[in-house]
Coordinates of all heavy atoms in Angstrom, one line a residue:
K255 N 2.5 7.2 -14.2 CA 3.9 6.9 -14.4 C 4.1 5.6 -15.0 O 5.0 5.4 -15.9 CB 4.6 7.1 -13.1 CG 6.1 6.7 -13.1 CD 7.0 7.7 -13.9 CE 7.3 8.9 -13.0 NZ 8.3 9.7 -13.6
A256 N 3.4 4.6 -14.5 CA 3.5 3.2 -15.0 C 3.1 3.1 -16.5 O 3.7 2.4 -17.3 CB 2.7 2.2 -14.2
G257 N 2.1 3.9 -16.8 CA 1.6 3.9 -18.2 C 2.7 4.5 -19.1 O 2.9 4.0 -20.2
N258 N 3.4 5.5 -18.6 CA 4.5 6.1 -19.4 C 5.6 5.1 -19.6 O 6.2 5.0 -20.7 CB 5.0 7.4 -18.7 CG 4.1 8.6 -18.9 OD1 3.1 8.5 -19.6 ND2 4.5 9.7 -18.4
I259 N 6.0 4.4 -18.5 CA 7.1 3.5 -18.6 C 6.7 2.3 -19.6 O 7.5 1.8 -20.4 CB 7.4 2.9 -17.2 CG1 8.0 4.1 -16.4 CG2 8.5 1.8 -17.3 CD1 8.1 3.7 -14.9
A260 N 5.4 1.9 -19.5 CA 5.0 0.8 -20.4 C 4.9 1.3 -21.8 O 5.0 0.5 -22.8 CB 3.6 0.3 -19.9
G261 N 4.6 2.6 -22.0 CA 4.7 3.1 -23.4 C 3.3 3.3 -24.0 O 3.2 3.3 -25.3
C262 N 2.3 3.6 -23.2 CA 0.9 3.7 -23.8 C 0.4 5.2 -23.5 O 1.1 6.0 -23.0 CB -0.1 2.7 -23.2 SG -0.3 2.9 -21.4
I263 N -0.8 5.4 -23.9 CA -1.6 6.6 -23.6 C -2.4 6.3 -22.3 O -3.1 5.3 -22.3 CB -2.5 7.1 -24.7 CG1 -1.7 7.3 -26.0 CG2 -3.3 8.3 -24.3 CD1 -2.6 7.3 -27.2
T264 N -2.2 7.1 -21.3 CA -3.0 6.9 -20.0 C -3.9 8.1 -19.7 O -3.4 9.2 -19.7 CB -2.0 6.7 -18.8 OG1 -1.1 5.6 -19.1 CG2 -2.8 6.3 -17.6
V265 N -5.2 7.8 -19.5 CA -6.1 8.8 -18.9 C -6.5 8.3 -17.6 O -7.0 7.2 -17.4 CB -7.3 8.9 -19.8 CG1 -8.4 9.8 -19.1 CG2 -6.9 9.5 -21.2
C266 N -6.2 9.1 -16.6 CA -6.5 8.8 -15.2 C -7.3 9.9 -14.6 O -6.8 11.0 -14.5 CB -5.2 8.6 -14.4 SG -5.4 7.9 -12.8
A267 N -8.5 9.6 -14.2 CA -9.4 10.6 -13.6 C -9.2 10.7 -12.1 O -9.0 9.7 -11.4 CB -10.9 10.3 -13.9
E268 N -9.4 11.9 -11.5 CA -9.3 12.2 -10.1 C -10.1 13.4 -9.7 O -10.1 14.4 -10.4 CB -7.8 12.4 -9.7 CG -7.5 12.9 -8.3 CD -8.0 11.9 -7.3 OE1 -7.6 10.8 -7.2 OE2 -8.9 12.4 -6.4
V269 N -10.9 13.3 -8.7 CA -11.8 14.3 -8.3 C -11.2 15.3 -7.3 O -11.7 16.4 -7.1 CB -13.1 13.8 -7.6 CG1 -13.9 12.9 -8.6 CG2 -12.7 13.0 -6.3
N270 N -10.1 15.0 -6.7 CA -9.4 15.9 -5.7 C -8.4 16.8 -6.4 O -7.4 16.3 -6.8 CB -8.7 15.0 -4.6 CG -8.2 15.8 -3.5 OD1 -7.8 17.0 -3.6 ND2 -8.1 15.2 -2.3
P271 N -8.7 18.1 -6.4 CA -7.7 19.0 -7.1 C -6.4 19.1 -6.4 O -5.4 19.2 -7.2 CB -8.4 20.4 -7.0 CG -9.9 20.1 -6.7 CD -9.9 18.8 -5.9
K272 N -6.3 19.0 -5.1 CA -5.0 19.1 -4.4 C -4.1 17.9 -4.8 O -2.9 18.1 -5.1 CB -5.2 19.1 -2.9 CG -5.7 20.4 -2.4 CD -5.8 20.4 -0.9 CE -6.3 21.8 -0.4 NZ -6.4 21.8 1.1
I273 N -4.6 16.7 -4.7 CA -3.7 15.6 -5.0 C -3.4 15.5 -6.5 O -2.3 15.1 -6.9 CB -4.4 14.2 -4.6 CG1 -3.3 13.1 -4.5 CG2 -5.5 13.8 -5.4 CD1 -2.2 13.4 -3.5
T274 N -4.3 16.0 -7.4 CA -4.0 16.1 -8.8 C -2.8 17.0 -9.1 O -1.9 16.7 -9.8 CB -5.2 16.5 -9.6 OG1 -6.3 15.6 -9.3 CG2 -5.0 16.5 -11.1
K275 N -2.9 18.2 -8.4 CA -1.8 19.1 -8.5 C -0.5 18.6 -8.0 O 0.6 18.7 -8.6 CB -2.1 20.4 -7.8 CG -1.1 21.5 -7.8 CD -1.5 22.7 -7.0 CE -0.4 23.8 -7.0 NZ -0.7 24.9 -6.1
I276 N -0.5 17.9 -6.9 CA 0.7 17.3 -6.3 C 1.3 16.3 -7.2 O 2.5 16.3 -7.5 CB 0.4 16.6 -4.9 CG1 0.1 17.7 -3.9 CG2 1.5 15.7 -4.5 CD1 -0.4 17.2 -2.6
R277 N 0.5 15.4 -7.8 CA 1.1 14.4 -8.7 C 1.6 15.0 -10.0 O 2.7 14.6 -10.5 CB 0.0 13.4 -9.1 CG -0.5 12.5 -8.0 CD 0.6 11.5 -7.5 NE 0.2 10.8 -6.3 CZ 0.8 10.9 -5.2 NH1 1.8 11.7 -5.0 NH2 0.3 10.2 -4.1
H278 N 1.0 16.1 -10.4 CA 1.6 16.8 -11.6 C 2.9 17.5 -11.3 O 3.9 17.4 -12.0 CB 0.6 17.9 -12.1 CG 1.0 18.5 -13.4 ND1 1.3 19.9 -13.5 CD2 1.1 18.0 -14.6 CE1 1.6 20.2 -14.7 NE2 1.5 19.1 -15.4
E279 N 3.0 18.1 -10.1 CA 4.2 18.8 -9.7 C 5.3 17.8 -9.4 O 6.5 18.1 -9.7 CB 4.0 19.6 -8.4 CG 3.1 20.8 -8.6 CD 2.7 21.5 -7.2 OE1 2.9 20.8 -6.2 OE2 2.2 22.6 -7.3
Q280 N 5.0 16.6 -9.0 CA 6.0 15.5 -8.8 C 6.4 14.8 -10.1 O 7.3 14.0 -10.1 CB 5.4 14.5 -7.8 CG 5.3 14.9 -6.4 CD 4.6 13.9 -5.5 OE1 3.9 13.0 -6.0 NE2 4.8 14.0 -4.2
G281 N 5.8 15.2 -11.2 CA 6.1 14.6 -12.5 C 5.5 13.2 -12.7 O 6.0 12.5 -13.6
W282 N 4.5 12.9 -11.9 CA 3.9 11.5 -12.1 C 2.8 11.5 -13.2 O 2.4 10.5 -13.6 CB 3.4 11.0 -10.8 CG 4.5 10.7 -9.8 CD1 5.2 11.6 -9.1 CD2 5.0 9.4 -9.5 NE1 6.2 11.0 -8.4 CE2 6.1 9.6 -8.7 CE3 4.7 8.1 -9.9 CZ2 6.8 8.6 -8.2 CZ3 5.4 7.1 -9.4 CH2 6.5 7.3 -8.6
I283 N 2.4 12.7 -13.6 CA 1.5 12.9 -14.7 C 2.0 14.0 -15.6 O 2.6 15.0 -15.1 CB 0.0 13.2 -14.3 CG1 -0.1 14.3 -13.3 CG2 -0.7 11.9 -13.7 CD1 -1.5 14.7 -13.0
N284 N 1.8 13.9 -16.9 CA 2.3 14.9 -17.8 C 1.4 16.1 -18.0 O 1.8 17.2 -18.0 CB 2.5 14.3 -19.2 CG 3.4 13.1 -19.2 OD1 3.1 12.0 -19.7 ND2 4.6 13.3 -18.6
E285 N 0.1 15.9 -18.0 CA -0.9 17.0 -18.3 C -2.1 16.8 -17.5 O -2.5 15.7 -17.1 CB -1.3 16.9 -19.8 CG -0.1 17.0 -20.8 CD -0.6 16.8 -22.2 OE1 -1.8 16.8 -22.5 OE2 0.3 16.6 -23.1
I286 N -2.8 18.0 -17.2 CA -4.1 18.0 -16.5 C -5.1 18.6 -17.5 O -4.9 19.7 -18.1 CB -4.0 18.8 -15.2 CG1 -3.0 18.2 -14.2 CG2 -5.4 18.9 -14.6 CD1 -2.8 19.0 -13.0
V287 N -6.2 17.9 -17.7 CA -7.3 18.4 -18.5 C -8.6 18.5 -17.6 O -8.9 17.5 -16.9 CB -7.5 17.5 -19.7 CG1 -8.8 17.9 -20.5 CG2 -6.3 17.5 -20.6
E288 N -9.4 19.6 -17.7 CA -10.6 19.7 -16.9 C -11.9 19.7 -17.7 O -12.9 19.7 -17.2 CB -10.5 21.0 -16.1 CG -9.3 21.0 -15.1 CD -9.3 22.2 -14.2 OE1 -10.4 22.7 -13.8 OE2 -8.2 22.7 -13.9
D289 N -11.7 19.7 -19.1 CA -12.9 19.7 -19.9 C -13.0 18.4 -20.7 O -12.0 18.0 -21.4 CB -12.8 20.9 -20.9 CG -14.0 21.0 -21.8 OD1 -15.0 21.5 -21.4 OD2 -13.8 20.6 -23.0
L290 N -14.2 17.8 -20.8 CA -14.3 16.5 -21.4 C -14.1 16.6 -23.0 O -13.5 15.7 -23.6 CB -15.7 15.9 -21.1 CG -15.9 15.2 -19.8 CD1 -17.4 14.9 -19.5 CD2 -15.0 14.0 -19.7
D291 N -14.7 17.7 -23.6 CA -14.5 17.8 -25.0 C -13.0 18.0 -25.3 O -12.5 17.4 -26.3 CB -15.2 19.1 -25.5 CG -16.7 18.8 -25.5 OD1 -17.2 17.7 -25.8 OD2 -17.5 19.7 -25.2
Q292 N -12.3 18.8 -24.5 CA -10.9 18.9 -24.7 C -10.1 17.6 -24.5 O -9.2 17.3 -25.2 CB -10.3 20.0 -23.7 CG -8.8 20.3 -23.9 CD -8.3 21.3 -22.8 OE1 -9.1 21.9 -22.1 NE2 -7.0 21.3 -22.7
L293 N -10.6 16.8 -23.6 CA -10.0 15.5 -23.3 C -10.1 14.6 -24.5 O -9.2 13.9 -24.9 CB -10.6 14.8 -22.1 CG -10.1 13.5 -21.7 CD1 -8.6 13.6 -21.3 CD2 -10.9 12.8 -20.6
V294 N -11.3 14.6 -25.1 CA -11.6 13.8 -26.3 C -10.6 14.2 -27.5 O -10.0 13.3 -28.1 CB -13.0 13.9 -26.8 CG1 -13.2 13.3 -28.2 CG2 -14.0 13.2 -25.8
K295 N -10.4 15.5 -27.7 CA -9.5 15.9 -28.7 C -8.1 15.6 -28.4 O -7.3 15.2 -29.3 CB -9.7 17.5 -28.9 CG -11.0 17.9 -29.4 CD -11.1 19.4 -29.5 CE -12.4 19.9 -30.0 NZ -12.5 21.4 -30.0
R296 N -7.7 15.7 -27.1 CA -6.3 15.4 -26.8 C -6.0 13.9 -26.9 O -4.9 13.6 -27.4 CB -6.1 15.8 -25.3 CG -4.7 15.6 -24.8 CD -3.7 16.6 -25.5 NE -2.3 16.3 -25.3 CZ -1.5 15.4 -26.0 NH1 -2.0 14.8 -27.0 NH2 -0.3 15.3 -25.6
V297 N -6.9 13.1 -26.6 CA -6.7 11.6 -26.7 C -6.7 11.2 -28.2 O -5.8 10.4 -28.6 CB -7.8 10.8 -26.0 CG1 -7.7 9.3 -26.3 CG2 -7.6 11.0 -24.4
A298 N -7.5 11.8 -29.0 CA -7.6 11.5 -30.4 C -6.2 11.9 -31.1 O -5.7 11.2 -31.9 CB -8.7 12.3 -31.1
L299 N -5.7 13.1 -30.6 CA -4.4 13.5 -31.2 C -3.3 12.6 -30.7 O -2.4 12.2 -31.5 CB -4.1 14.9 -30.7 CG -2.8 15.6 -31.1 CD1 -2.8 15.8 -32.6 CD2 -2.5 16.9 -30.4
A300 N -3.3 12.1 -29.5 CA -2.3 11.2 -28.9 C -2.3 9.9 -29.7 O -1.3 9.3 -30.0 CB -2.5 11.0 -27.4
K301 N -3.5 9.4 -30.0 CA -3.7 8.2 -30.7 C -3.1 8.3 -32.1 O -2.4 7.4 -32.6 CB -5.1 7.7 -30.8 CG -5.6 7.0 -29.5 CD -7.1 6.7 -29.7 CE -7.6 5.7 -28.7 NZ -7.3 4.3 -29.0
A302 N -3.4 9.4 -32.8 CA -3.0 9.7 -34.1 C -1.5 9.7 -34.2 O -0.8 9.2 -35.2 CB -3.6 11.0 -34.7
N303 N -0.8 10.4 -33.2 CA 0.6 10.5 -33.2 C 1.4 9.4 -32.4 O 2.6 9.5 -32.3 CB 1.0 11.9 -32.5 CG 0.5 13.1 -33.4 OD1 0.3 12.9 -34.6 ND2 0.2 14.2 -32.7
K304 N 0.6 8.4 -31.9 CA 1.2 7.3 -31.2 C 2.1 7.9 -30.0 O 3.2 7.4 -29.9 CB 1.9 6.4 -32.1 CG 1.0 5.6 -33.0 CD 1.7 4.5 -33.7 CE 0.7 3.6 -34.5 NZ 1.4 2.5 -35.2
E305 N 1.5 8.8 -29.3 CA 2.3 9.4 -28.2 C 2.4 8.5 -27.0 O 1.5 7.7 -26.8 CB 1.6 10.7 -27.7 CG 1.6 11.9 -28.7 CD 1.0 13.1 -28.2 OE1 1.4 13.6 -27.1 OE2 0.0 13.6 -28.8
V306 N 3.4 8.7 -26.2 CA 3.4 8.1 -24.9 C 3.2 9.3 -23.9 O 4.0 10.2 -23.8 CB 4.8 7.5 -24.6 CG1 4.9 7.0 -23.1 CG2 5.1 6.4 -25.5
V307 N 2.0 9.3 -23.3 CA 1.6 10.5 -22.5 C 0.6 10.1 -21.5 O -0.2 9.2 -21.7 CB 1.0 11.6 -23.4 CG1 -0.3 11.1 -24.1 CG2 0.8 12.9 -22.7
S308 N 0.7 10.7 -20.3 CA -0.3 10.5 -19.2 C -1.1 11.8 -19.0 O -0.5 12.9 -18.8 CB 0.4 10.0 -18.0 OG 1.4 11.0 -17.6
I309 N -2.4 11.6 -19.0 CA -3.3 12.8 -18.9 C -4.2 12.6 -17.6 O -4.9 11.5 -17.5 CB -4.2 12.9 -20.1 CG1 -3.3 13.0 -21.4 CG2 -5.1 14.1 -20.0 CD1 -4.1 12.8 -22.7
A310 N -4.2 13.5 -16.7 CA -5.1 13.5 -15.6 C -6.4 14.3 -16.0 O -6.3 15.4 -16.4 CB -4.5 14.1 -14.4
Y311 N -7.5 13.6 -15.8 CA -8.8 14.3 -16.0 C -9.3 14.7 -14.6 O -9.5 13.8 -13.8 CB -9.8 13.5 -16.7 CG -11.2 14.2 -16.7 CD1 -11.4 15.3 -17.4 CD2 -12.2 13.6 -16.0 CE1 -12.6 16.0 -17.4 CE2 -13.5 14.3 -16.0 CZ -13.7 15.4 -16.7 OH -14.9 16.1 -16.6
L312 N -9.4 16.0 -14.3 CA -9.8 16.5 -13.1 C -11.4 16.4 -13.0 O -12.1 17.4 -13.5 CB -9.3 17.9 -12.8 CG -9.7 18.5 -11.4 CD1 -9.3 17.6 -10.3 CD2 -9.1 19.9 -11.2
G313 N -11.9 15.3 -12.6 CA -13.3 15.1 -12.6 C -13.6 13.6 -12.4 O -12.7 12.8 -12.1
N314 N -14.9 13.2 -12.5 CA -15.3 11.9 -12.2 C -15.0 11.0 -13.4 O -15.3 11.3 -14.5 CB -16.7 11.9 -11.8 CG -17.1 10.6 -11.0 OD1 -17.1 9.5 -11.6 ND2 -17.5 10.8 -9.8
V315 N -14.5 9.8 -13.1 CA -14.1 8.8 -14.2 C -15.4 8.3 -14.9 O -15.3 7.9 -16.1 CB -13.3 7.7 -13.6 CG1 -14.2 6.7 -12.8 CG2 -12.6 6.9 -14.7
V316 N -16.5 8.3 -14.2 CA -17.7 7.8 -14.9 C -18.1 8.7 -16.1 O -18.5 8.2 -17.2 CB -18.9 7.8 -13.9 CG1 -20.2 7.4 -14.6 CG2 -18.7 6.9 -12.8
D317 N -17.8 10.0 -16.0 CA -18.0 10.9 -17.1 C -17.1 10.6 -18.2 O -17.5 10.7 -19.4 CB -17.8 12.4 -16.6 CG -18.9 12.9 -15.7 OD1 -20.1 12.5 -15.9 OD2 -18.6 13.7 -14.8
V318 N -15.9 10.2 -17.9 CA -14.9 9.8 -19.0 C -15.4 8.6 -19.7 O -15.4 8.6 -21.0 CB -13.5 9.6 -18.4 CG1 -12.6 9.1 -19.5 CG2 -13.0 10.8 -17.7
W319 N -15.8 7.5 -19.0 CA -16.2 6.3 -19.7 C -17.4 6.6 -20.5 O -17.5 6.1 -21.7 CB -16.6 5.2 -18.6 CG -15.4 4.5 -18.0 CD1 -14.8 4.8 -16.8 CD2 -14.7 3.4 -18.6 NE1 -13.8 3.9 -16.6 CE2 -13.7 3.0 -17.6 CE3 -14.9 2.6 -19.7 CZ2 -12.9 2.0 -17.8 CZ3 -14.0 1.6 -19.9 CH2 -13.0 1.2 -19.0
E320 N -18.4 7.4 -20.0 CA -19.6 7.7 -20.8 C -19.3 8.6 -22.0 O -19.8 8.3 -23.1 CB -20.6 8.3 -19.9 CG -21.2 7.4 -18.8 CD -22.2 8.0 -17.9 OE1 -22.2 9.3 -17.8 OE2 -22.9 7.3 -17.2
K321 N -18.4 9.5 -21.8 CA -18.1 10.4 -23.0 C -17.3 9.7 -24.0 O -17.6 9.9 -25.2 CB -17.2 11.6 -22.4 CG -16.9 12.6 -23.5 CD -18.0 13.5 -23.9 CE -17.6 14.6 -24.8 NZ -18.8 15.4 -25.3
F322 N -16.4 8.8 -23.7 CA -15.6 8.1 -24.6 C -16.5 7.1 -25.4 O -16.3 6.8 -26.6 CB -14.5 7.4 -24.0 CG -13.3 8.2 -23.7 CD1 -13.3 9.6 -23.8 CD2 -12.1 7.7 -23.3 CE1 -12.3 10.4 -23.5 CE2 -11.0 8.4 -23.0 CZ -11.1 9.8 -23.1
D323 N -17.6 6.6 -24.8 CA -18.5 5.8 -25.4 C -19.3 6.6 -26.5 O -19.5 6.1 -27.6 CB -19.5 5.2 -24.4 CG -20.6 4.3 -25.1 OD1 -20.3 3.5 -26.0 OD2 -21.8 4.6 -24.8
Q324 N -19.8 7.7 -26.1 CA -20.5 8.6 -27.0 C -19.7 9.0 -28.2 O -20.2 9.1 -29.4 CB -21.0 9.9 -26.3 CG -22.0 9.6 -25.2 CD -22.2 10.8 -24.3 OE1 -21.7 11.9 -24.5 NE2 -22.9 10.5 -23.1
E325 N -18.4 9.3 -28.0 CA -17.5 9.8 -29.0 C -16.7 8.7 -29.8 O -15.9 9.0 -30.6 CB -16.5 10.8 -28.4 CG -17.1 12.0 -27.7 CD -17.8 12.9 -28.7 OE1 -17.4 12.9 -29.9 OE2 -18.7 13.7 -28.3
N326 N -17.1 7.4 -29.4 CA -16.4 6.3 -30.0 C -14.9 6.3 -29.9 O -14.1 6.0 -30.8 CB -16.8 6.1 -31.5 CG -18.2 5.6 -31.6 OD1 -18.6 4.7 -30.9 ND2 -19.0 6.2 -32.5
I327 N -14.4 6.7 -28.7 CA -13.0 6.6 -28.4 C -12.7 5.2 -27.9 O -13.2 4.8 -26.9 CB -12.6 7.7 -27.3 CG1 -12.8 9.1 -27.8 CG2 -11.1 7.4 -26.9 CD1 -11.8 9.6 -28.9
K328 N -11.8 4.5 -28.6 CA -11.6 3.1 -28.3 C -10.6 3.0 -27.1 O -9.5 3.5 -27.1 CB -10.9 2.4 -29.5 CG -10.4 1.0 -29.2 CD -11.5 0.0 -29.0 CE -11.0 -1.4 -28.5 NZ -10.0 -2.0 -29.5
I329 N -11.1 2.4 -26.0 CA -10.3 2.1 -24.8 C -9.8 0.7 -25.0 O -10.6 -0.3 -25.1 CB -11.1 2.2 -23.5 CG1 -11.7 3.7 -23.4 CG2 -10.3 1.8 -22.3 CD1 -12.6 3.9 -22.2
D330 N -8.5 0.5 -24.9 CA -7.9 -0.8 -25.1 C -7.8 -1.6 -23.7 O -8.3 -2.7 -23.6 CB -6.5 -0.7 -25.7 CG -6.6 0.0 -27.0 OD1 -7.0 -0.7 -28.0 OD2 -6.2 1.1 -27.1

Side-chain angles (χ1 to χ4, degrees):
K255 173 71 82 172
N258 282 2
I259 296 170
C262 64
I263 302 162
T264 304
V265 171
C266 189
E268 171 59 60
V269 296
N270 186 333
K272 283 183 181 177
I273 196 64
T274 304
K275 181 183 177 185
I276 288 170
R277 292 291 174 246
H278 187 246
E279 289 172 349
Q280 290 175 339
W282 290 76
I283 51 177
N284 300 129
E285 303 171 15
I286 299 174
V287 174
E288 300 185 36
D289 178 80
L290 281 171
D291 290 325
Q292 184 184 345
L293 180 66
V294 168
K295 292 177 183 176
R296 182 67 188 91
V297 170
L299 180 65
K301 278 178 167 280
N303 294 333
K304 294 192 174 181
E305 294 181 55
V306 176
V307 64
S308 55
I309 305 162
Y311 172 67
L312 184 53
N314 200 293
V315 72
V316 176
D317 290 326
V318 176
W319 282 97
E320 291 178 344
K321 182 70 171 179
F322 282 10
D323 175 50
Q324 294 164 10
E325 301 291 337
N326 287 317
I327 296 289
K328 173 69 185 305
I329 299 173
D330 301 287

